[in-house]
Amino acid sequence: MDWDALQQAVAGCTACGLCQSRKNTVFGVGDTQARWLVVGEAPGENEDLQGEPFVGQAGQLLDNMLKAVGLNRGATGAQGVFIANVLKCRPPANRNPQPEEVLRCEPYLRRQVELLQPQIILALGRFAAQSLLQATVPDIASIPLGKLRGQVHQYNGVPVIVSYHPAYLLRTPQDKARAWADLCLALDVVKRVPSR
């Protein structure tokens, strides 16, 4: 599937029960030529209403974090970034994604990565990390997020840096310094990856 066909497939998806309660699918936003792909967990209420990832308070924090390292969801080229989620539909009451839902949505994220060909993936939160690293990290579901940080993982040949979800950082601001360290590690990795 090319990009347009993939967007249409996501928009019409009925593979799991989340399609029954969604207002909009949340495909992703940003520069399709970006070096950076940011992957969150699942849309919340604001994202479901607007059809765009990270538009609430967590999104404002993410935008500020990205701006601090010279990236912007509205930019193209070296400053561009593409932002997506593991799930493309909102779980009711913003509950955690269920394994079956992640399994059904995973092919969409995999195809996004194939089409985008990012030079780095920033995985935000436990479910993003588990979805992206399930093939390469044994017993991923039992490993705390903090133990996945500070390392360079791989997803289909693309370096992956794991960090905290911005919604978690809003509740636990003392971990913002750790999230900054994760962003700095990602920046360092991108500098070492040859440009395409």
Side-chain angles (χ1 to χ4, degrees):
M1 278 190 281
D2 67 13
W3 196 254
D4 290 338
L6 183 61
Q7 278 186 294
Q8 289 172 7
V10 167
C13 182
T14 57
C16 76
L18 294 180
C19 66
Q20 297 166 7
S21 59
R22 73 179 177 222
K23 302 266 187 295
N24 291 290
T25 55
V26 181
F27 182 75
V29 67
D31 179 12
T32 57
Q33 303 297 312
R35 298 171 70 185
W36 287 65
L37 170 60
V38 177
V39 178
E41 299 182 336
E45 182 179 13
N46 292 324
E47 291 77 10
D48 183 44
L49 292 171
Q50 295 184 39
E52 185 174 319
F54 288 98
V55 294
Q57 277 191 301
Q60 291 171 3
L61 177 55
L62 176 61
D63 286 344
N64 289 335
M65 291 166 65
L66 292 173
K67 282 178 186 163
V69 293
L71 300 171
N72 187 316
R73 75 168 71 202
T76 57
Q79 288 78 42
V81 63
F82 193 87
I83 303 171
N85 282 312
V86 172
L87 294 189
K88 309 305 184 193
C89 297
R90 176 190 181 210
N94 294 348
R95 65 160 167 72
N96 287 336
Q98 295 176 346
E100 177 71 14
E101 295 161 352
V102 173
L103 184 70
R104 298 283 182 197
C105 245
E106 197 275 333
Y108 295 134
L109 179 61
R110 184 179 344 113
R111 187 65 183 143
Q112 283 180 309
V113 174
E114 290 168 356
L115 291 169
L116 291 166
Q117 298 181 353
Q119 292 177 301
I120 188 90
I121 299 173
L122 185 63
L124 300 178
R126 182 167 55 106
F127 292 98
Q130 287 176 1
S131 180
L132 290 164
L133 304 179
Q134 61 188 340
T136 57
V137 178
D139 301 319
I140 183 82
S142 65
I143 301 173
L145 184 82
K147 294 220 184 294
L148 296 169
R149 292 181 49 259
Q151 312 166 52
V152 181
H153 302 278
Q154 295 287 320
Y155 177 79
N156 293 347
V158 180
V160 176
I161 302 300
V162 174
S163 190
Y164 297 110
H165 194 283
Y168 167 82
L169 294 173
L170 289 172
R171 297 187 307 270
T172 318
Q174 62 269 28
D175 280 338
K176 284 183 180 179
R178 290 187 176 123
W180 176 250
D182 299 333
L183 274 175
C184 291
L185 175 59
L187 270 176
D188 186 51
V189 170
V190 167
K191 286 177 186 168
R192 289 185 270 132
V193 175
S195 293
R196 39 179 155 113

